[in-house]
Amino acid sequence: MFDWLIVGAGFAGSVLAERLASQRGERVLVVDRRPHIAGNAYDHFNDAGLLVHRYGPHIFHTNSDAILDHLSQFTGWRPYEHRVLGEVDGMRVPIPINLDTINRLYGLDLTSDELTAWFAARAEPVERIETSEDVVVSVVGRELYEKFFQGYTRKQWGLDPSQLDKSITARVPIRTNRDDRYFTDTHQCMPDRGYTRMFERMLDHPNIAVMLNCDYRSIVDMIPHRRLIYTGPIDEFYDYRFGRLPYRSLRFVHETLDQAQALPTGTVNYPQTEDFTRISEYKHMTGQQHPQTAITREYPSATGDPYYPILRPENQALFKRYEALAMAEPNTYFVGRLATYRYYNMDQVTGQALAMFQRIDKALPRRMTLRLNHGNGAAQPASAP
Ligand code: FAD
Ligand code: UDP
């Protein structure tokens, strides 16, 4: 009998599996319908021996010491600050928009203070900032919004920014200084042996079994378990009872090139041209030395694996209906980006899973007793009979 059946071996499922196994001594079965662990963070060595991210570039960044410390039990890190250039009006300029972006694009020599005034002169007053259009035009005006945000967002989401929640484009700040990093978090780093290796170490515990290529529905009735943790799409769990919850998908086109480097930065965005949104080159992130290089283009798509929740009021309302069912579901816990319909980064999902573990650990009596192992002084879990 397993104490837990965990659906999904991504950050949500794997972080919880490890905690339940190591801290509560409980027996966990993790199932994933994909042929690998690590969920969307999965990376692997391709035929040429280059470390690539199967589901597009994953860059770790967090302001939380606790989350970094937690994951550091399973990996070392290499420092990496992501930088992005946008191909705009035939030039490659920094994204997020900063002082250099504007000076280069418009042939100006503004100072930061002058740029603040320059933006203010172009900003459109918006009474209530609600949409992904409002949040940009209210700061930099319509021209920059159209150049950098409108086309990219229409491509990425199949919707105009005016139809999307403000939090989506607000992920990309507007700067008046020369900082050209994509993120400003206090910790920015990559697992030094890759994400998959980190997940292997997380799941390497005698109390954890992993089944791949397995949809949980095919085994849920056959394998006895006390409780379920579900990290897949919440609408699918309920057989789309209230209708489909919209998720956006991507098609990833991976390529190996016979050159040592293809791009000046980890990613180049295409807000005005092309059918794909961006090209990323992994060697920047992984630091791998290799005579060839691997890149990925991301083509947004309405069909395919669900990757992004589409944040807009009617979708939130539909999610709330599913969430109400989920909250009443006995012995079942919903965690992660798809199950809680949140546009979460990896660190946020890790934090959500750790918080869920704390709640579980408070609410449910522990099955195990901790026994002192006099050999190395560490406390070892021992299952209660
Ligand atoms: P997932 O990783 O999606 O794991 C859920 C797992 O559940 C999947 O493996 C799925 O196969 C499995 N599953 C679902 N249903 C079933 C079922 N019925 N039976 C069995 N298994 C099932 N975050 C960052 O912090 N930095 C980045 O740079 C970044 N870049 C990203 C780029 C892209 C293109 C995408 C799509 C996401 C990116 N993210 C990034 C977000 C990151 O991928 C997620 O935050 C994280 O992977 C979510 O983990 P999760 O466990 O919630 O979900
Ligand atoms: N965005 C944009 N232009 C850009 C980069 C981002 O319009 O050059 C918008 C777009 O709507 C995108 C959102 O900002 O979906 C969030 O961007 P981010 O890079 O965080 O997306 P992710 O890495 O999660 O795909």
Side-chain angles (χ1 to χ4, degrees), residues 60 68-79 188-195 197-199 201 285-286:
F60 187 79
L68 184 77
D69 288 349
H70 182 76
L71 295 175
S72 301
Q73 297 174 82
F74 314 105
T75 187
W77 302 93
R78 74 175 292 265
Q188 304 188 37
C189 45
M190 299 289 288
D192 60 359
R193 302 282 169 224
Y195 289 99
R197 184 76 195 107
M198 177 177 84
F199 277 81
R201 290 181 59 187
M285 303 159 207
T286 61

PDB file of all heavy atoms in Angstrom, residues 60 68-79 188-195 197-199 201 285-286:
ATOM      1  N   PHE A  60      16.690  29.442 -13.944  1.00  0.00           N
ATOM      2  CA  PHE A  60      16.276  29.486 -12.534  1.00  0.00           C
ATOM      3  C   PHE A  60      16.610  30.845 -11.934  1.00  0.00           C
ATOM      4  O   PHE A  60      17.726  31.340 -12.059  1.00  0.00           O
ATOM      5  CB  PHE A  60      16.962  28.377 -11.728  1.00  0.00           C
ATOM      6  CG  PHE A  60      16.420  28.300 -10.338  1.00  0.00           C
ATOM      7  CD1 PHE A  60      15.202  27.673 -10.089  1.00  0.00           C
ATOM      8  CD2 PHE A  60      17.078  28.916  -9.281  1.00  0.00           C
ATOM      9  CE1 PHE A  60      14.664  27.647  -8.814  1.00  0.00           C
ATOM     10  CE2 PHE A  60      16.537  28.884  -8.007  1.00  0.00           C
ATOM     11  CZ  PHE A  60      15.332  28.250  -7.779  1.00  0.00           C
ATOM     12  N   LEU A  68      16.027  28.324  -2.660  1.00  0.00           N
ATOM     13  CA  LEU A  68      17.351  27.959  -3.201  1.00  0.00           C
ATOM     14  C   LEU A  68      18.018  26.924  -2.302  1.00  0.00           C
ATOM     15  O   LEU A  68      18.560  25.925  -2.787  1.00  0.00           O
ATOM     16  CB  LEU A  68      18.238  29.203  -3.321  1.00  0.00           C
ATOM     17  CG  LEU A  68      19.596  28.903  -3.962  1.00  0.00           C
ATOM     18  CD1 LEU A  68      19.467  28.757  -5.472  1.00  0.00           C
ATOM     19  CD2 LEU A  68      20.624  29.969  -3.624  1.00  0.00           C
ATOM     20  N   ASP A  69      17.958  27.143  -0.986  1.00  0.00           N
ATOM     21  CA  ASP A  69      18.588  26.200  -0.052  1.00  0.00           C
ATOM     22  C   ASP A  69      17.963  24.816  -0.193  1.00  0.00           C
ATOM     23  O   ASP A  69      18.661  23.807  -0.168  1.00  0.00           O
ATOM     24  CB  ASP A  69      18.413  26.667   1.403  1.00  0.00           C
ATOM     25  CG  ASP A  69      19.285  27.869   1.707  1.00  0.00           C
ATOM     26  OD1 ASP A  69      20.159  28.189   0.869  1.00  0.00           O
ATOM     27  OD2 ASP A  69      19.074  28.499   2.765  1.00  0.00           O
ATOM     28  N   HIS A  70      16.653  24.800  -0.329  1.00  0.00           N
ATOM     29  CA  HIS A  70      15.989  23.497  -0.449  1.00  0.00           C
ATOM     30  C   HIS A  70      16.519  22.727  -1.666  1.00  0.00           C
ATOM     31  O   HIS A  70      16.936  21.576  -1.560  1.00  0.00           O
ATOM     32  CB  HIS A  70      14.472  23.656  -0.542  1.00  0.00           C
ATOM     33  CG  HIS A  70      13.789  22.329  -0.614  1.00  0.00           C
ATOM     34  ND1 HIS A  70      13.629  21.527   0.491  1.00  0.00           N
ATOM     35  CD2 HIS A  70      13.319  21.613  -1.669  1.00  0.00           C
ATOM     36  CE1 HIS A  70      13.073  20.392   0.126  1.00  0.00           C
ATOM     37  NE2 HIS A  70      12.870  20.418  -1.182  1.00  0.00           N
ATOM     38  N   LEU A  71      16.514  23.391  -2.826  1.00  0.00           N
ATOM     39  CA  LEU A  71      16.940  22.699  -4.053  1.00  0.00           C
ATOM     40  C   LEU A  71      18.437  22.392  -4.033  1.00  0.00           C
ATOM     41  O   LEU A  71      18.892  21.436  -4.677  1.00  0.00           O
ATOM     42  CB  LEU A  71      16.564  23.537  -5.281  1.00  0.00           C
ATOM     43  CG  LEU A  71      15.055  23.718  -5.497  1.00  0.00           C
ATOM     44  CD1 LEU A  71      14.784  24.660  -6.663  1.00  0.00           C
ATOM     45  CD2 LEU A  71      14.369  22.364  -5.752  1.00  0.00           C
ATOM     46  N   SER A  72      19.197  23.173  -3.271  1.00  0.00           N
ATOM     47  CA  SER A  72      20.655  22.962  -3.209  1.00  0.00           C
ATOM     48  C   SER A  72      21.015  21.623  -2.557  1.00  0.00           C
ATOM     49  O   SER A  72      22.164  21.184  -2.651  1.00  0.00           O
ATOM     50  CB  SER A  72      21.325  24.100  -2.444  1.00  0.00           C
ATOM     51  OG  SER A  72      21.057  25.325  -3.076  1.00  0.00           O
ATOM     52  N   GLN A  73      20.066  20.983  -1.911  1.00  0.00           N
ATOM     53  CA  GLN A  73      20.338  19.632  -1.394  1.00  0.00           C
ATOM     54  C   GLN A  73      20.537  18.632  -2.532  1.00  0.00           C
ATOM     55  O   GLN A  73      21.080  17.552  -2.329  1.00  0.00           O
ATOM     56  CB  GLN A  73      19.144  19.128  -0.568  1.00  0.00           C
ATOM     57  CG  GLN A  73      18.839  19.937   0.668  1.00  0.00           C
ATOM     58  CD  GLN A  73      17.552  19.412   1.283  1.00  0.00           C
ATOM     59  OE1 GLN A  73      17.554  18.434   2.006  1.00  0.00           O
ATOM     60  NE2 GLN A  73      16.452  20.053   0.945  1.00  0.00           N
ATOM     61  N   PHE A  74      20.052  19.003  -3.720  1.00  0.00           N
ATOM     62  CA  PHE A  74      20.043  18.034  -4.819  1.00  0.00           C
ATOM     63  C   PHE A  74      20.893  18.460  -6.013  1.00  0.00           C
ATOM     64  O   PHE A  74      20.965  17.747  -7.006  1.00  0.00           O
ATOM     65  CB  PHE A  74      18.591  17.789  -5.276  1.00  0.00           C
ATOM     66  CG  PHE A  74      17.664  17.587  -4.119  1.00  0.00           C
ATOM     67  CD1 PHE A  74      16.783  18.584  -3.727  1.00  0.00           C
ATOM     68  CD2 PHE A  74      17.738  16.417  -3.371  1.00  0.00           C
ATOM     69  CE1 PHE A  74      15.959  18.420  -2.623  1.00  0.00           C
ATOM     70  CE2 PHE A  74      16.916  16.237  -2.268  1.00  0.00           C
ATOM     71  CZ  PHE A  74      16.029  17.247  -1.887  1.00  0.00           C
ATOM     72  N   THR A  75      21.482  19.624  -5.933  1.00  0.00           N
ATOM     73  CA  THR A  75      22.299  20.091  -7.058  1.00  0.00           C
ATOM     74  C   THR A  75      23.285  21.159  -6.591  1.00  0.00           C
ATOM     75  O   THR A  75      23.032  21.863  -5.610  1.00  0.00           O
ATOM     76  CB  THR A  75      21.421  20.693  -8.186  1.00  0.00           C
ATOM     77  OG1 THR A  75      22.256  20.987  -9.311  1.00  0.00           O
ATOM     78  CG2 THR A  75      20.697  21.963  -7.769  1.00  0.00           C
ATOM     79  N   GLY A  76      24.401  21.265  -7.323  1.00  0.00           N
ATOM     80  CA  GLY A  76      25.226  22.462  -7.233  1.00  0.00           C
ATOM     81  C   GLY A  76      24.730  23.432  -8.301  1.00  0.00           C
ATOM     82  O   GLY A  76      23.834  23.094  -9.080  1.00  0.00           O
ATOM     83  N   TRP A  77      25.276  24.610  -8.338  1.00  0.00           N
ATOM     84  CA  TRP A  77      24.767  25.632  -9.264  1.00  0.00           C
ATOM     85  C   TRP A  77      25.909  26.289 -10.025  1.00  0.00           C
ATOM     86  O   TRP A  77      27.020  26.370  -9.515  1.00  0.00           O
ATOM     87  CB  TRP A  77      24.009  26.727  -8.497  1.00  0.00           C
ATOM     88  CG  TRP A  77      22.862  26.224  -7.683  1.00  0.00           C
ATOM     89  CD1 TRP A  77      22.892  25.872  -6.362  1.00  0.00           C
ATOM     90  CD2 TRP A  77      21.517  26.008  -8.135  1.00  0.00           C
ATOM     91  NE1 TRP A  77      21.639  25.458  -5.952  1.00  0.00           N
ATOM     92  CE2 TRP A  77      20.773  25.529  -7.019  1.00  0.00           C
ATOM     93  CE3 TRP A  77      20.854  26.180  -9.356  1.00  0.00           C
ATOM     94  CZ2 TRP A  77      19.421  25.211  -7.094  1.00  0.00           C
ATOM     95  CZ3 TRP A  77      19.503  25.872  -9.427  1.00  0.00           C
ATOM     96  CH2 TRP A  77      18.806  25.389  -8.312  1.00  0.00           C
ATOM     97  N   ARG A  78      25.607  26.784 -11.206  1.00  0.00           N
ATOM     98  CA  ARG A  78      26.545  27.685 -11.873  1.00  0.00           C
ATOM     99  C   ARG A  78      25.831  29.032 -12.028  1.00  0.00           C
ATOM    100  O   ARG A  78      24.646  29.085 -12.404  1.00  0.00           O
ATOM    101  CB  ARG A  78      27.010  27.136 -13.230  1.00  0.00           C
ATOM    102  CG  ARG A  78      25.998  27.215 -14.343  1.00  0.00           C
ATOM    103  CD  ARG A  78      26.586  26.774 -15.677  1.00  0.00           C
ATOM    104  NE  ARG A  78      27.604  27.695 -16.183  1.00  0.00           N
ATOM    105  CZ  ARG A  78      27.351  28.676 -17.046  1.00  0.00           C
ATOM    106  NH1 ARG A  78      26.145  28.892 -17.514  1.00  0.00           N
ATOM    107  NH2 ARG A  78      28.336  29.446 -17.465  1.00  0.00           N
ATOM    108  N   PRO A  79      26.531  30.117 -11.710  1.00  0.00           N
ATOM    109  CA  PRO A  79      25.882  31.422 -11.819  1.00  0.00           C
ATOM    110  C   PRO A  79      25.513  31.696 -13.278  1.00  0.00           C
ATOM    111  O   PRO A  79      26.288  31.366 -14.180  1.00  0.00           O
ATOM    112  CB  PRO A  79      26.955  32.422 -11.364  1.00  0.00           C
ATOM    113  CG  PRO A  79      28.115  31.628 -10.894  1.00  0.00           C
ATOM    114  CD  PRO A  79      27.937  30.209 -11.316  1.00  0.00           C
ATOM    115  N   GLN A 188      20.319  33.928  -9.224  1.00  0.00           N
ATOM    116  CA  GLN A 188      20.121  33.582 -10.635  1.00  0.00           C
ATOM    117  C   GLN A 188      21.190  32.558 -10.984  1.00  0.00           C
ATOM    118  O   GLN A 188      22.374  32.879 -11.022  1.00  0.00           O
ATOM    119  CB  GLN A 188      20.269  34.813 -11.519  1.00  0.00           C
ATOM    120  CG  GLN A 188      19.334  35.954 -11.118  1.00  0.00           C
ATOM    121  CD  GLN A 188      19.337  37.112 -12.121  1.00  0.00           C
ATOM    122  OE1 GLN A 188      19.426  36.902 -13.322  1.00  0.00           O
ATOM    123  NE2 GLN A 188      19.232  38.329 -11.622  1.00  0.00           N
ATOM    124  N   CYS A 189      20.783  31.333 -11.235  1.00  0.00           N
ATOM    125  CA  CYS A 189      21.774  30.278 -11.427  1.00  0.00           C
ATOM    126  C   CYS A 189      21.116  29.072 -12.105  1.00  0.00           C
ATOM    127  O   CYS A 189      19.893  28.968 -12.157  1.00  0.00           O
ATOM    128  CB  CYS A 189      22.356  29.865 -10.079  1.00  0.00           C
ATOM    129  SG  CYS A 189      21.136  29.646  -8.780  1.00  0.00           S
ATOM    130  N   MET A 190      21.968  28.190 -12.598  1.00  0.00           N
ATOM    131  CA  MET A 190      21.476  26.981 -13.274  1.00  0.00           C
ATOM    132  C   MET A 190      22.028  25.762 -12.550  1.00  0.00           C
ATOM    133  O   MET A 190      23.186  25.773 -12.097  1.00  0.00           O
ATOM    134  CB  MET A 190      21.974  26.955 -14.719  1.00  0.00           C
ATOM    135  CG  MET A 190      21.499  28.118 -15.575  1.00  0.00           C
ATOM    136  SD  MET A 190      19.744  28.038 -15.966  1.00  0.00           S
ATOM    137  CE  MET A 190      19.716  26.694 -17.135  1.00  0.00           C
ATOM    138  N   PRO A 191      21.235  24.683 -12.465  1.00  0.00           N
ATOM    139  CA  PRO A 191      21.757  23.440 -11.859  1.00  0.00           C
ATOM    140  C   PRO A 191      23.017  23.010 -12.615  1.00  0.00           C
ATOM    141  O   PRO A 191      22.988  22.930 -13.844  1.00  0.00           O
ATOM    142  CB  PRO A 191      20.633  22.428 -12.060  1.00  0.00           C
ATOM    143  CG  PRO A 191      19.444  23.193 -12.496  1.00  0.00           C
ATOM    144  CD  PRO A 191      19.886  24.512 -13.012  1.00  0.00           C
ATOM    145  N   ASP A 192      24.111  22.767 -11.894  1.00  0.00           N
ATOM    146  CA  ASP A 192      25.390  22.600 -12.611  1.00  0.00           C
ATOM    147  C   ASP A 192      25.470  21.318 -13.427  1.00  0.00           C
ATOM    148  O   ASP A 192      26.308  21.204 -14.319  1.00  0.00           O
ATOM    149  CB  ASP A 192      26.585  22.747 -11.655  1.00  0.00           C
ATOM    150  CG  ASP A 192      26.578  21.729 -10.523  1.00  0.00           C
ATOM    151  OD1 ASP A 192      25.643  20.903 -10.446  1.00  0.00           O
ATOM    152  OD2 ASP A 192      27.516  21.760  -9.701  1.00  0.00           O
ATOM    153  N   ARG A 193      24.621  20.333 -13.141  1.00  0.00           N
ATOM    154  CA  ARG A 193      24.579  19.118 -13.976  1.00  0.00           C
ATOM    155  C   ARG A 193      23.244  19.024 -14.711  1.00  0.00           C
ATOM    156  O   ARG A 193      22.862  17.943 -15.186  1.00  0.00           O
ATOM    157  CB  ARG A 193      24.759  17.856 -13.116  1.00  0.00           C
ATOM    158  CG  ARG A 193      26.027  17.822 -12.332  1.00  0.00           C
ATOM    159  CD  ARG A 193      27.216  17.435 -13.220  1.00  0.00           C
ATOM    160  NE  ARG A 193      28.449  17.667 -12.512  1.00  0.00           N
ATOM    161  CZ  ARG A 193      29.533  18.250 -13.033  1.00  0.00           C
ATOM    162  NH1 ARG A 193      29.520  18.655 -14.275  1.00  0.00           N
ATOM    163  NH2 ARG A 193      30.618  18.421 -12.329  1.00  0.00           N
ATOM    164  N   GLY A 194      22.504  20.097 -14.739  1.00  0.00           N
ATOM    165  CA  GLY A 194      21.223  20.094 -15.437  1.00  0.00           C
ATOM    166  C   GLY A 194      20.055  19.805 -14.499  1.00  0.00           C
ATOM    167  O   GLY A 194      20.231  19.321 -13.380  1.00  0.00           O
ATOM    168  N   TYR A 195      18.845  20.095 -14.980  1.00  0.00           N
ATOM    169  CA  TYR A 195      17.630  19.911 -14.163  1.00  0.00           C
ATOM    170  C   TYR A 195      17.322  18.437 -13.931  1.00  0.00           C
ATOM    171  O   TYR A 195      16.948  18.027 -12.841  1.00  0.00           O
ATOM    172  CB  TYR A 195      16.422  20.566 -14.836  1.00  0.00           C
ATOM    173  CG  TYR A 195      16.467  22.070 -14.804  1.00  0.00           C
ATOM    174  CD1 TYR A 195      16.905  22.801 -15.903  1.00  0.00           C
ATOM    175  CD2 TYR A 195      16.091  22.771 -13.665  1.00  0.00           C
ATOM    176  CE1 TYR A 195      16.960  24.184 -15.871  1.00  0.00           C
ATOM    177  CE2 TYR A 195      16.143  24.157 -13.626  1.00  0.00           C
ATOM    178  CZ  TYR A 195      16.580  24.859 -14.733  1.00  0.00           C
ATOM    179  OH  TYR A 195      16.642  26.219 -14.683  1.00  0.00           O
ATOM    180  N   ARG A 197      19.221  15.854 -13.752  1.00  0.00           N
ATOM    181  CA  ARG A 197      20.092  15.267 -12.725  1.00  0.00           C
ATOM    182  C   ARG A 197      19.601  15.679 -11.322  1.00  0.00           C
ATOM    183  O   ARG A 197      19.591  14.877 -10.393  1.00  0.00           O
ATOM    184  CB  ARG A 197      21.532  15.722 -12.967  1.00  0.00           C
ATOM    185  CG  ARG A 197      22.538  15.105 -12.046  1.00  0.00           C
ATOM    186  CD  ARG A 197      22.850  13.655 -12.440  1.00  0.00           C
ATOM    187  NE  ARG A 197      23.549  12.959 -11.355  1.00  0.00           N
ATOM    188  CZ  ARG A 197      23.007  12.022 -10.573  1.00  0.00           C
ATOM    189  NH1 ARG A 197      21.756  11.636 -10.759  1.00  0.00           N
ATOM    190  NH2 ARG A 197      23.701  11.452  -9.627  1.00  0.00           N
ATOM    191  N   MET A 198      19.195  16.937 -11.203  1.00  0.00           N
ATOM    192  CA  MET A 198      18.681  17.414  -9.909  1.00  0.00           C
ATOM    193  C   MET A 198      17.427  16.621  -9.502  1.00  0.00           C
ATOM    194  O   MET A 198      17.278  16.209  -8.340  1.00  0.00           O
ATOM    195  CB  MET A 198      18.349  18.909  -9.996  1.00  0.00           C
ATOM    196  CG  MET A 198      17.740  19.500  -8.751  1.00  0.00           C
ATOM    197  SD  MET A 198      17.477  21.278  -8.909  1.00  0.00           S
ATOM    198  CE  MET A 198      15.915  21.306  -9.756  1.00  0.00           C
ATOM    199  N   PHE A 199      16.546  16.376 -10.463  1.00  0.00           N
ATOM    200  CA  PHE A 199      15.333  15.607 -10.161  1.00  0.00           C
ATOM    201  C   PHE A 199      15.671  14.155  -9.826  1.00  0.00           C
ATOM    202  O   PHE A 199      15.042  13.547  -8.963  1.00  0.00           O
ATOM    203  CB  PHE A 199      14.360  15.666 -11.346  1.00  0.00           C
ATOM    204  CG  PHE A 199      13.520  16.910 -11.362  1.00  0.00           C
ATOM    205  CD1 PHE A 199      14.017  18.102 -11.848  1.00  0.00           C
ATOM    206  CD2 PHE A 199      12.224  16.904 -10.881  1.00  0.00           C
ATOM    207  CE1 PHE A 199      13.251  19.264 -11.856  1.00  0.00           C
ATOM    208  CE2 PHE A 199      11.443  18.044 -10.885  1.00  0.00           C
ATOM    209  CZ  PHE A 199      11.958  19.224 -11.375  1.00  0.00           C
ATOM    210  N   ARG A 201      18.239  13.085  -8.339  1.00  0.00           N
ATOM    211  CA  ARG A 201      18.708  13.032  -6.944  1.00  0.00           C
ATOM    212  C   ARG A 201      17.557  13.257  -5.968  1.00  0.00           C
ATOM    213  O   ARG A 201      17.511  12.676  -4.886  1.00  0.00           O
ATOM    214  CB  ARG A 201      19.825  14.047  -6.740  1.00  0.00           C
ATOM    215  CG  ARG A 201      21.102  13.625  -7.476  1.00  0.00           C
ATOM    216  CD  ARG A 201      22.234  14.593  -7.289  1.00  0.00           C
ATOM    217  NE  ARG A 201      22.601  14.770  -5.885  1.00  0.00           N
ATOM    218  CZ  ARG A 201      23.472  15.665  -5.456  1.00  0.00           C
ATOM    219  NH1 ARG A 201      24.085  16.465  -6.327  1.00  0.00           N
ATOM    220  NH2 ARG A 201      23.745  15.795  -4.173  1.00  0.00           N
ATOM    221  N   MET A 285      23.414  29.243 -21.162  1.00  0.00           N
ATOM    222  CA  MET A 285      22.847  28.902 -19.846  1.00  0.00           C
ATOM    223  C   MET A 285      23.636  27.799 -19.161  1.00  0.00           C
ATOM    224  O   MET A 285      23.848  27.835 -17.956  1.00  0.00           O
ATOM    225  CB  MET A 285      21.397  28.427 -20.026  1.00  0.00           C
ATOM    226  CG  MET A 285      20.533  29.458 -20.715  1.00  0.00           C
ATOM    227  SD  MET A 285      19.061  28.703 -21.442  1.00  0.00           S
ATOM    228  CE  MET A 285      18.748  29.869 -22.759  1.00  0.00           C
ATOM    229  N   THR A 286      24.047  26.807 -19.958  1.00  0.00           N
ATOM    230  CA  THR A 286      24.689  25.634 -19.362  1.00  0.00           C
ATOM    231  C   THR A 286      26.192  25.811 -19.214  1.00  0.00           C
ATOM    232  O   THR A 286      26.828  25.094 -18.450  1.00  0.00           O
ATOM    233  CB  THR A 286      24.447  24.392 -20.248  1.00  0.00           C
ATOM    234  OG1 THR A 286      25.025  24.641 -21.543  1.00  0.00           O
ATOM    235  CG2 THR A 286      22.969  24.101 -20.404  1.00  0.00           C
TER     236      THR A 286
END
